[in-house]
Amino acid sequence: MSSAPSPASTAGRKKVDAVQLMKDDPKVSADVKKSLYKPCAADEYPVEVTYASLTGSKSPDVIVNVMTCADSVGIGSYVYRRHAGAKDGYDNVYANEQPLVYAGVNKGELEISKQTYAAGDKVCCPSGEDVMTYRWSGGRFTPHHRYHTDYSKTTVDGGTPGDGTGSEG
């Protein structure tokens, strides 16, 4: 979970205490809040925070992904928008607490990914992924585009894919 922040992650904007923001948010479920009671290790909580302009606000919006400590599986994704006219308050304008969810930004749009599993799939190896993009319109996110990707199952029996040379090493 510990990774170096990108240079743009805090440049020109105030860093948000995402863990406290979520603990104070009545829209966040008790199950997700439970994962925020204590850090996974040292002072590292299972959250990833991205700042981006998604809602047309003057201040960047805050995208928060919450994961499990054990295997970094997404359990909740949220978008917070700064209160109009307020300096430190945020409104929850998007929440998705379906397991295996992840929110990101793609070409200025909110992109929600959800891994899909078939019977017998291990947690490490989903069968595919559903992706939905949303645009900010009329004061809320509206679905814009959806697609599904089926992943290759060439290693389903535990073997590793070959390098194409035909040699087994």
Side-chain angles (χ1 to χ4, degrees):
M1 299 287 326
S2 178
S3 62
S6 67
S9 66
T10 57
R13 66 189 62 92
K14 181 180 176 187
K15 188 174 179 179
V16 173
D17 182 347
V19 173
Q20 192 60 51
L21 183 65
M22 298 191 62
K23 285 180 178 179
D24 294 341
D25 184 351
K27 292 182 180 179
V28 175
S29 73
D31 286 341
V32 171
K33 286 182 181 182
K34 184 178 179 182
S35 70
L36 301 174
Y37 286 156
K38 64 179 184 171
C40 296
D43 62 348
E44 296 292 322
Y45 284 87
V47 297
E48 179 182 286
V49 181
T50 303
Y51 299 90
S53 179
L54 295 171
T55 66
S57 175
K58 291 181 182 179
S59 299
D61 301 302
V62 181
I63 303 167
V64 182
N65 286 294
V66 181
M67 296 152 283
T68 60
C69 285
D71 49 15
S72 297
V73 170
I75 58 174
S77 294
Y78 310 86
V79 177
Y80 291 91
R81 183 178 195 216
R82 188 175 291 254
H83 289 306
K87 285 189 170 190
D88 292 321
Y90 286 86
D91 291 318
N92 180 331
V93 294
Y94 179 87
N96 185 330
E97 294 181 336
Q98 296 177 6
L100 309 169
V101 67
Y102 183 83
V105 180
N106 186 3
K107 299 179 184 174
E109 296 178 335
L110 175 62
E111 184 174 83
I112 303 297
S113 321
K114 186 175 184 296
Q115 293 178 329
T116 58
Y117 289 83
D121 285 353
K122 296 177 184 175
V123 173
C124 69
C125 311
S127 292
E129 178 179 45
D130 289 327
V131 177
M132 173 71 84
T133 58
Y134 293 84
R135 287 187 175 162
W136 185 256
S137 176
R140 65 186 186 97
F141 285 104
T142 57
H144 173 64
H145 184 72
R146 173 185 303 236
Y147 65 90
H148 175 82
T149 301
D150 285 324
Y151 296 149
S152 171
K153 289 295 184 180
T154 57
T155 62
V156 93
D157 295 323
T160 57
D163 62 3
T165 63
S167 62
E168 296 283 324

